[in-house]
Amino acid sequence: MFVLLSIFMTLPPLLLLGAESPNAVAFAESAGIIFGLGMLGILIAYGKPRDLKPRYMFVLTVSSWLVMALLSALPFYLSDAGISVTDAVFEATSGITTTGATVLTGLDQLDQDLLLWRSILQWIGGIGIIGMFVAVLPFLRVGGMRLFATESSEWTDKALPRMKTLSRGLLLVYCVFTMIAVFTYWISGMTLFDAFNHGLTSIATGGYSTSDLSMGKFESELILLEATLFMILGSLPFFLFVREMHGQRGVLWRDQQVRLFLTLLLLLTLGMLLYRAIITDGFDIVSGSITTLFNVTSILTTTGYASEDYSAWGSLAFSMFFFLMFVGGCSGSTSGGMKIFRFQLSLIVLREQLMRLLHPRAVLTRNFNGRAVSDEIIASMIAYTFIFLLCFLGLTLVLAAMNLDFVTSLSGALSALTNVGPALGDIIGPAGNFATLPEQAKWALCVGMLLGRLEILSVVVVLSPGFWRS
């Protein structure tokens, strides 16, 4: 992983051909350090057994994201932009976790190699997230992810070819979607540099932009519609695209997660559009429909792009966007949040309890996507939800203890844990950023971003004393 990261770290100067890469030395030094660490690790572990039991997988998953975030901060810190250690780690953590919160201002004048590195980090994080959800978390039984252990790879018989084929398919789909996004943005009026950056961050549902105005810079309704499409694609289960590619037609639409996600997106957009039309004098229905769809999609998919300050749309919009931060996209996608399937499982449990009150002796079955849902999966989902709310409360109180106002503390904690990016309010809302927060708050939010990306439970397991006793 370190060697791969060092290779990616050489891309910004190479893609810019050195002409517009004033920080080429910083990238070279960073890549050299990380490559050396990687080779040292390979030499130390050479010839030793690689039987990764679940216990080791927990440690590997948690430690790899933490260390990758820290090492990814090196180019920011060693650059000529004068970025502090805290800000460098925050920006790198936000990038690798595809959160999209930023502490950098003046993005329009920032060195292009640093802008490119931010986007590459989110692209790396996006494919890493897909791999983690499809290949790691289901087998570690984290947060109900066991539900997708067989579904993600059931379309072939033998285990080894199955995982190899699935891995290649996921990478192929991810790369193809990225190239389509880059090309589409380019022919729609973006410069090649802007198109490349936004193509990477759209599919990764990361939200990093090359301008302080985010997508508002381009003043193009066509680009907003295109970005909406790519954000939606990034929020759907990628293993279903692979199954479609292998001849299983219609599996994407038959998936209960996908249907609820798209239905929810449509209903929320229509509701917000109606609200804006009622409270706004001279409301332009065409332009308003596009901006409403774009911004609702951006928050629901946890991408974090903005075309305007949606917190100024009224109190209903403010409240709705806050609660939308909880939801997120589908499992097996690049998006954050609590994930659609957990809300579906909660509804299944609620329905079961109501039926038992009416018919105490009834024999009830739980089914999701045509499969029985075990008590283990329900218990795991409930445990995740409880620990998520506990972390949300704790992080909010930590931020409030640093003299941040209630809206900033509450929405900042939620934004970090759900990997949304921009929060709400005047300070860290869509019209601001995280630059003015105290250093201690930035470190706390870094922890929150990593917790949210790692589904919280995997971190709690590694930190528990019982994990280390045997």
Side-chain angles (χ1 to χ4, degrees):
M1 291 175 69
F2 286 8
V3 171
L4 284 173
L5 181 64
S6 68
I7 293 172
F8 275 107
M9 208 166 276
T10 63
L11 290 181
L14 291 176
L15 291 174
L16 294 170
L17 301 177
E20 298 182 38
S21 180
N23 303 295
V25 174
F27 280 100
E29 291 174 346
S30 303
I33 293 170
I34 297 169
F35 181 81
L37 291 172
M39 292 305 298
L40 179 62
I42 290 172
L43 292 173
I44 291 173
Y46 183 76
K48 295 186 178 180
R50 299 182 183 181
D51 182 19
L52 285 179
K53 299 176 182 178
R55 182 179 299 270
Y56 305 143
M57 286 297 292
F58 272 112
V59 176
L60 178 63
T61 301
V62 174
S63 62
S64 61
W65 282 85
L66 172 61
V67 176
M68 293 284 275
L70 294 174
L71 293 178
S72 300
L74 277 175
F76 294 118
Y77 178 66
L78 296 177
S79 70
D80 296 330
I83 301 173
S84 67
V85 173
T86 299
D87 287 351
V89 172
F90 184 96
E91 200 72 13
T93 304
S94 180
I96 203 74
T97 59
T98 72
T99 303
T102 184
V103 291
L104 300 182
T105 56
L107 295 178
D108 300 84
Q109 290 79 41
L110 191 67
D111 297 332
Q112 288 193 343
D113 48 10
L114 294 181
L115 290 173
L116 198 52
W117 179 234
R118 295 164 79 243
S119 302
I120 290 173
L121 272 181
Q122 291 201 327
W123 192 85
I124 296 171
I127 190 62
I129 291 158
I130 296 170
M132 185 177 70
F133 276 106
V134 171
V136 179
L137 294 185
F139 297 99
L140 295 182
R141 303 172 184 269
V142 170
M145 292 296 175
R146 187 68 180 172
L147 196 62
F148 306 99
T150 56
E151 185 176 1
S152 62
S153 52
E154 66 175 0
W155 38 271
T156 189
D157 298 325
K158 298 180 180 179
L160 189 59
R162 177 179 63 198
M163 291 310 297
K164 285 185 177 180
T165 306
L166 177 61
S167 300
R168 291 195 202 101
L170 289 172
L171 184 58
L172 176 62
V173 171
Y174 192 68
C175 290
V176 168
F177 281 172
T178 302
M179 289 188 290
I180 292 173
V182 171
F183 180 74
T184 304
Y185 285 143
W186 184 39
I187 63 174
S188 299
M190 285 190 183
T191 65
L192 184 57
F193 177 78
D194 285 337
F196 186 79
N197 281 274
H198 289 90
L200 297 184
T201 60
S202 294
I203 295 301
T205 60
Y208 270 159
S209 180
T210 56
S211 171
D212 291 330
L213 297 176
S214 190
M215 281 292 187
K217 168 187 177 181
F218 305 104
E219 299 181 346
S220 169
E221 293 175 354
L222 175 60
I223 288 177
L224 294 186
L225 287 174
E226 292 166 352
T228 301
L229 172 63
F230 296 129
M231 288 188 289
I232 292 173
L233 288 176
S235 299
L236 301 181
F238 274 71
F239 62 82
L240 294 182
F241 290 118
V242 178
R243 290 175 61 182
E244 291 274 1
M245 188 172 66
H246 281 78
Q248 293 194 12
R249 305 301 179 207
V251 292
L252 189 65
W253 175 245
R254 289 197 299 270
D255 186 83
Q256 288 181 226
Q257 274 196 107
V258 174
R259 292 205 302 269
L260 179 59
F261 172 76
L262 295 178
T263 302
L264 187 63
L265 177 61
L266 177 62
L267 293 177
L268 289 170
T269 301
L270 290 175
M272 182 54 57
L273 181 60
L274 179 62
Y275 171 72
R276 292 187 67 195
I278 291 174
I279 68 168
T280 307
D281 294 330
F283 185 71
D284 186 335
I285 190 65
V286 175
S287 176
S289 298
I290 294 172
T291 57
T292 301
L293 174 62
F294 171 81
N295 286 283
V296 169
T297 303
S298 179
I299 296 300
L300 183 61
T301 62
T302 71
T303 305
Y305 285 143
S307 62
E308 56 187 275
D309 186 3
Y310 47 75
S311 60
W313 287 359
S315 57
L316 178 61
F318 190 92
S319 303
M320 191 188 83
F321 281 126
F322 174 77
F323 288 111
L324 278 185
M325 290 182 184
F326 283 96
V327 183
C330 302
S331 178
S333 70
T334 62
S335 64
M338 296 182 70
K339 301 294 185 299
I340 290 289
F341 86 94
R342 290 196 177 95
F343 292 91
Q344 292 175 301
L345 292 182
S346 299
L347 290 173
I348 290 172
V349 173
L350 176 61
R351 174 184 171 276
E352 180 181 330
Q353 292 304 309
L354 292 176
M355 291 298 294
R356 289 194 185 281
L357 291 175
L358 295 173
H359 308 285
R361 298 184 180 180
V363 178
L364 304 174
T365 59
R366 306 188 199 105
N367 290 300
F368 182 84
N369 274 343
R371 285 188 175 79
V373 179
S374 66
D375 290 337
E376 176 196 1
I377 290 173
I378 295 297
S380 185
M381 181 270 295
I382 293 173
Y384 167 84
T385 304
F386 175 75
I387 199 69
F388 177 90
L389 294 176
L390 201 61
C391 289
F392 176 41
L393 172 63
L395 187 53
T396 301
L397 293 177
V398 167
L399 295 176
M402 299 173 189
N403 291 323
L404 298 177
D405 64 86
F406 177 71
V407 172
T408 301
S409 301
L410 192 72
S411 64
L414 183 58
S415 172
L417 287 170
T418 56
N419 304 118
V420 173
L424 298 172
D426 297 330
I427 300 175
I428 57 175
N433 67 15
F434 292 71
T436 59
L437 297 187
E439 286 200 352
Q440 297 89 337
K442 293 173 184 176
W443 284 106
L445 290 171
C446 285
V447 173
M449 289 186 279
L450 287 168
L451 280 171
R453 182 43 67 202
L454 292 168
E455 293 288 303
I456 300 178
L457 278 176
S458 57
V459 181
V460 173
V461 167
V462 172
L463 294 179
S464 62
F467 179 83
W468 300 97
R469 286 198 187 112
S470 54

